Amino acid sequence: MTNDGKYTCIGQGIPRVDGIAKVTGEAKYAGDYYFPRTLFAQVVRSPYPHAKIKSINIKEAEKLPGVKSIITGDYYKKRGGLYLADKNFLAVDTVKYVGEAVVAVCAETIEIAEEACSLIKVDYEELTPVLSPQDAMKKDAPLIHPDLHTYKVAPIFHPVPHTNISHHHVLRKGDVEKAFKEAYKVVEHEYHVPHVQHSPIETHVATAKFDANGSLTVWASCQSPYAVRQSLSDSFDIPLNKVRVISEFVGGGFGSKAGTTIEGIVIPLAKLNPGRPVRLMYSREDEFENAYVRQGMYAKIKTGVTKEGKIIAEHNEFLWDGGAYTEYGVNIVKAAGFAGSGPYNIPNISTDSYCLYTNHPVGGPYRGFGMCEIHFAIEQNLDEVAKDLGISPIEIRRRNGLRAKDETSTGEVMNVSGYQACLETVLQKLEYDKPCENNNKNKIRAKGIAAGWKSPSMPTDVASASIIRMNEDGTFYLQTSAEEIGQGSNTALTQIAAEVLNVNPNLITLTSGDTTMNPYEWQTVASRTTYCAGNAVKLAAEDLKEKILHLAEIKLGCGKKDIFFERDDKNNTTFVVQKYHEENRVPINTFALGLTLPDGSGMGGPAIGVGRFVVPNNMAYNPVDSQSPKPVAFWTIGVTGCEVEVDLQTGHVKVLKMISCFDPGKVINEALYNAQVEGAMVQALGTALWEELILKNGKIMNKSFVDYKIPTADDCPDVLESYVAEFEEETGPFGARGIGEPAMVPGAPAIANAIYNAIGVRFTKMPITACDILEALKKQKT
């Protein structure tokens, strides 16, 4: 599919390098670490969405044998947060959502800690909660963070003092009002997206321990060890050289493990008990309530079009339900703000994206980072505009979809764009123009399509580093801090290094997940790992190769331009060979410890390559209008199409086919690409039809898999196919871009569009349940 004979490793679907460890149970996750003399933590949580803490009585709990320490928010009041320092790990003065941690206990056993929690009495005075982003916007709304104007915040975010607005992102391009006046038609639509849970297999768990010298080690299920280290250092005023974060394997994250969650609860308890590890693990119910959730969102889209179907103006308003703390959520709202037009060439755009405090669970990053939510609106709106004009949903996408040399909403000129190629591929593979078979009068089938895009939402100067070392036998250690969370990055990074050195990937062992032992990586988020960490790995391998070539010049007696690396899988090695005298060759491990000269002296020393990468030519956008010639590293664009069957008697929707095509630049591993895209389609299917956190007065009513439904194997489409359009990224390693998150973006709106095409009812809120469909069909009849 992707290997054109140019490469020996790139494009190959080699097996996952971590596969054996995971299927045999040898992989060690954060919950697998058990230490002598461990103390176990449990937490007293708020039963109210918004309340003042009047008093806390811990006296009876302190008397319980086996209880070691009890802390409240008064023990450590400093706020923390990656982008906006608004978060306390234990509530201070007020509670802001149901489930917020109020008191933490550590004891000799979990059972004792739980009993101690039951003995703690907290007296609350209920306050009026804010339970929707629309209510949060009202001038007379209760202030959830009255001290917002004093919080430390990154300069690219703009809280509005004395309101519930923690960030207002503004984008302006062209003259929107003038364009609306000139438009043939102007239409407006509204859409709603609920909160959803990430539902990783592994729940959050953390163990913290202080050594006698004051050094802190945290074993945690986290996606971004260096970001967690930085956040914990800032929050607890511990020097970075005294903080070590270990997270070797992570059992799924989808964004829920990108920031800090429970680490800040166990650290103060560990500080009170030096030398003793303190451990806290979330139950599945805790995971639903107290880990990040995907933020809810209300969208209003106003679109102006010409008679021919060219979009000339668009105004978007996004109101995000950020929950009780938005220290990470503000960045999602920013991403939505500058991507709000979708992958379309629109000359006049105005977007206002608001992050709003509510008394709901804490919103945070979720696969797609806001793109799934806004595209549910963008892509349905596009179908509605096409219907109003009397043209097909396909034709409006052909006329407006981004092409090379078109401008994005931020004024960036696209060097390449795979939109049109992806669209045509999906139309062909789905046989979109072929009528569906409708042989059952009680069931009706139809097809739908949607597109999507995503860029890495990250600072313009984020850094990555990698080290590769050759062992004496010609094997290698590759060191990185890109976190393997199931997406296959360990395999892709290994392939990149193997390609540069022309060695068998089996000779490379990758290590990561330890901030003391491995070099810096910003975060494993934003679908940036293959691109950013991959570039660092490629540079490290090239650095090592250059050092080997320097020594080989001396050893082989020729210039390095006349030397090449020849992979020999039969002998499980690689030879360094003189080009015109191929009998003049030596195994690569000849240079593992440098070069021994004829007189017995040595030179060069151990073979180590170092790679450092910062995204080239990224420039911050103007905060007034979000315009910049290059605000992001890249855009990944793609299209998903589907065929659905709607049961007119039960309202049940069966997705029969889902087909996607994306432009990820160059595919590094064909099997992993297909797995990412196919998995993303199934995850999108779940959010489209079933997944929703049902909130009543701020309380989650369905915090278990009994009541919160995610797709099973039985729900998967019979046809689930992924295709690729490779328009290489100039700055990517071997031309690669990220794919993990973008692959989910168009799935839900494609299903929504197909349901509309089947029954003629537009659903502006997800999930689209069987009950919703039956109710709509009843209204149709009346």
Side-chain angles (χ1 to χ4, degrees):
M1 178 175 97
T2 65
N3 195 332
D4 53 10
K6 210 164 113 179
Y7 302 114
T8 59
C9 292
I10 299 302
Q12 298 290 330
I14 71 168
R16 296 179 63 114
V17 298
D18 56 341
I20 292 175
K22 287 180 174 178
V23 300
T24 59
E26 289 182 2
K28 201 168 186 180
Y29 297 83
D32 295 325
Y33 287 95
Y34 286 93
F35 305 98
R37 304 178 68 238
T38 294
L39 297 172
F40 298 89
Q42 286 294 299
V43 178
V44 176
R45 299 189 178 277
S46 167
Y48 303 109
H50 199 196
K52 181 180 179 181
I53 301 171
K54 295 178 67 177
S55 65
I56 301 174
N57 187 334
I58 62 173
K59 291 181 180 178
E60 292 302 312
E62 287 179 316
K63 296 175 185 177
L64 191 67
V67 171
K68 299 297 292 182
S69 299
I70 301 176
I71 58 171
T72 69
D74 289 335
Y75 176 78
Y76 198 81
K77 292 186 175 182
K78 184 177 179 181
R79 297 184 186 92
L82 281 174
Y83 305 111
L84 172 64
D86 67 355
K87 179 175 69 176
N88 296 106
F89 291 105
L90 294 173
V92 176
D93 298 331
T94 63
V95 291
K96 298 176 175 62
Y97 70 97
V98 174
E100 181 167 9
V102 178
V103 187
V105 178
C106 70
E108 297 290 351
T109 67
I110 294 175
E111 292 76 16
I112 294 172
E114 289 174 342
E115 185 179 353
C117 287
S118 71
L119 297 173
I120 294 170
K121 307 300 179 187
V122 184
D123 187 17
Y124 299 96
E125 177 186 326
E126 288 192 69
L127 301 172
T128 303
V130 179
L131 300 175
S132 76
Q134 292 92 326
D135 287 344
M137 284 284 282
K138 294 176 180 176
K139 290 184 178 179
D140 59 350
L143 294 184
I144 298 172
H145 286 263
D147 297 328
L148 173 62
H149 59 288
T150 68
Y151 293 174
K152 180 182 175 183
V153 60
I156 59 173
F157 300 108
H158 311 291
V160 180
H162 313 297
T163 73
N164 287 315
I165 302 170
S166 57
H167 177 52
H168 176 200
H169 191 92
V170 176
L171 183 143
R172 302 287 185 266
K173 180 188 178 186
D175 190 334
V176 173
E177 292 308 314
K178 181 174 180 288
F180 277 134
K181 290 175 183 176
E182 296 171 352
Y184 172 70
K185 272 185 180 284
V186 176
V187 296
E188 291 189 60
H189 298 101
E190 298 179 17
Y191 303 89
H192 301 261
V193 175
H195 298 81
V196 301
Q197 235 302 325
H198 301 70
S199 305
I201 295 175
E202 176 201 36
T203 63
H204 281 70
V205 57
T207 303
K209 178 176 176 286
F210 278 92
D211 294 334
N213 66 0
S215 293
L216 167 67
T217 302
V218 178
W219 296 263
S221 54
C222 69
Q223 293 178 218
S224 308
Y226 269 94
V228 168
R229 184 185 74 142
Q230 180 66 57
S231 183
L232 296 176
S233 172
D234 289 343
S235 297
F236 294 102
D237 297 311
I238 306 171
L240 287 171
N241 70 319
K242 296 285 188 180
V243 183
R244 181 182 185 184
V245 178
I246 298 174
S247 185
E248 188 176 357
F249 286 94
V250 179
F254 308 110
S256 70
K257 297 169 182 174
T260 56
T261 48
I262 60 178
E263 297 89 352
I265 295 174
V266 294
I267 287 170
L269 293 169
K271 191 170 184 180
L272 292 171
N273 296 273
R276 298 199 69 174
V278 179
R279 171 190 173 95
L280 176 62
M281 176 183 284
Y282 275 175
S283 66
R284 182 56 62 181
E285 290 75 15
D286 286 332
E287 191 74 17
F288 270 96
E289 194 168 59
N290 304 307
Y292 286 134
V293 299
R294 190 174 84 174
Q295 299 178 142
M297 190 269 299
Y298 159 82
K300 182 187 288 185
I301 300 181
K302 180 180 178 181
T303 310
V305 290
T306 66
K307 193 172 184 179
E308 296 74 29
K310 183 73 181 75
I311 303 172
I312 59 172
E314 189 157 287
H315 174 69
N316 303 313
E317 184 178 66
F318 303 128
L319 304 184
W320 294 86
D321 189 334
Y325 300 98
T326 64
E327 55 98 9
Y328 213 120
V330 292
N331 200 24
I332 301 160
V333 171
K334 173 183 76 74
F338 67 71
S341 65
Y344 299 101
N345 183 16
I346 306 174
N348 305 286
I349 305 169
S350 171
T351 298
D352 291 280
S353 187
Y354 296 92
C355 190
L356 293 152
Y357 287 120
T358 67
N359 294 113
H360 280 154
V362 178
Y366 182 104
R367 188 177 191 176
F369 210 71
M371 298 303 103
C372 297
E373 298 91 299
I374 65 173
H375 282 77
F376 182 74
I378 292 166
E379 291 297 308
Q380 288 200 85
N381 176 70
L382 201 58
D383 270 31
E384 288 292 286
V385 172
K387 183 187 73 171
D388 286 351
L389 286 171
I391 64 176
S392 77
I394 304 309
E395 197 55 40
I396 200 168
R397 287 175 170 82
R398 283 179 176 144
R399 295 177 189 181
N400 293 281
L402 282 167
R403 291 174 164 85
K405 306 309 177 185
D406 283 348
E407 268 194 13
T408 69
S409 55
T410 62
E412 178 183 358
V413 176
M414 298 287 287
N415 289 331
V416 296
S417 173
Y419 183 102
Q420 302 294 337
C422 291
L423 177 63
E424 299 304 326
T425 298
V426 172
L427 293 174
Q428 177 195 354
K429 300 298 181 181
L430 188 61
E431 298 180 301
Y432 190 86
D433 292 331
K434 182 180 178 181
C436 296
E437 294 180 6
N438 286 297
N439 301 322
N440 187 327
K441 67 178 182 179
N442 294 319
K443 295 179 179 179
I444 188 164
R445 295 181 178 185
K447 298 170 186 174
I449 203 158
W453 71 341
K454 186 186 182 300
S455 66
S457 182
M458 60 188 183
T460 51
D461 60 350
V462 296
S464 299
S466 179
I467 298 170
I468 186 165
R469 300 180 286 133
M470 181 163 41
N471 297 310
E472 296 90 324
D473 61 354
T475 59
F476 301 83
Y477 281 116
L478 175 61
Q479 295 172 261
T480 174
S481 286
E483 196 70 22
E484 173 62 71
I485 59 175
Q487 80 279 38
S489 62
N490 282 5
T491 307
L493 297 178
T494 298
Q495 285 177 260
I496 290 170
E499 185 66 51
V500 172
L501 294 168
N502 201 15
V503 301
N504 192 311
N506 294 333
L507 300 178
I508 300 175
T509 297
L510 185 146
T511 65
S512 64
D514 187 333
T515 57
T516 297
M517 305 302 292
N518 295 298
Y520 180 85
E521 183 65 53
W522 176 64
Q523 294 189 56
T524 302
V525 296
S527 299
R528 61 179 290 278
T529 300
T530 299
Y531 177 83
C532 291
N535 266 316
V537 166
K538 186 170 183 283
L539 290 167
E542 288 171 348
D543 184 43
L544 176 58
K545 184 175 183 177
E546 185 65 24
K547 290 171 180 174
I548 294 170
L549 285 171
H550 175 66
L551 297 177
E553 285 183 301
I554 300 169
K555 179 71 175 177
L556 299 179
C558 62
K560 61 184 176 185
K561 66 181 177 59
D562 294 326
I563 298 171
F564 66 95
F565 287 24
E566 182 182 88
R567 177 170 153 181
D568 182 352
D569 287 343
K570 183 178 179 181
N571 293 299
N572 207 26
T573 189
T574 287
F575 286 93
V576 182
V577 184
Q578 185 177 351
K579 187 179 294 183
Y580 301 110
H581 297 278
E582 295 190 14
E583 71 282 1
N584 194 12
R585 59 175 55 211
V586 292
I588 196 170
N589 69 314
T590 302
F591 309 103
L593 299 178
L595 180 62
T596 302
L597 299 175
D599 63 2
S601 62
M603 66 177 295
I608 298 175
V610 177
R612 299 175 296 170
F613 178 74
V614 175
V615 181
N617 303 319
N618 264 23
M619 290 165 273
Y621 54 77
N622 184 332
V624 175
D625 58 12
S626 295
Q627 296 301 294
S628 167
K630 188 73 166 64
V632 296
F634 58 81
W635 290 97
T636 299
I637 298 178
V639 174
T640 296
C642 66
E643 181 178 345
V644 304
E645 180 180 77
V646 182
D647 189 316
L648 302 178
Q649 292 185 314
T650 67
H652 176 73
V653 176
K654 172 66 177 175
V655 180
L656 304 172
K657 298 178 182 178
M658 287 189 83
I659 293 173
S660 286
C661 181
F662 282 85
D663 171 18
K666 184 69 181 172
V667 169
I668 300 298
N669 184 301
E670 179 182 351
L672 292 175
Y673 171 83
N674 292 334
Q676 282 279 30
V677 176
E678 291 165 15
M681 286 190 278
V682 174
Q683 198 167 1
L685 183 155
T687 62
L689 298 181
W690 301 293
E691 294 187 51
E692 175 184 15
L693 285 179
I694 299 172
L695 290 156
K696 185 176 181 180
N697 297 322
K699 185 176 182 180
I700 299 173
M701 308 304 293
N702 58 334
K703 56 180 183 179
S704 75
F705 289 137
V706 173
D707 300 307
Y708 184 96
K709 299 300 183 183
I710 62 174
T712 68
D714 288 340
D715 302 308
C716 290
D718 294 332
V719 176
L720 195 65
E721 296 174 356
S722 56
Y723 297 92
V724 64
E726 291 181 304
F727 292 80
E728 294 189 13
E729 171 61 41
E730 182 183 4
T731 62
F734 299 103
R737 282 188 287 275
I739 186 60
E741 291 178 273
M744 185 176 171
V745 173
I751 292 170
N753 286 336
I755 292 172
Y756 173 83
N757 292 336
I759 63 174
V761 178
R762 176 66 61 188
F763 293 94
T764 60
K765 179 183 180 297
M766 69 163 79
I768 304 168
T769 66
C771 291
D772 294 332
I773 290 174
L774 284 179
E775 186 67 28
L777 291 173
K778 285 179 185 176
K779 287 181 180 178
Q780 265 189 339
K781 290 178 181 178
T782 58

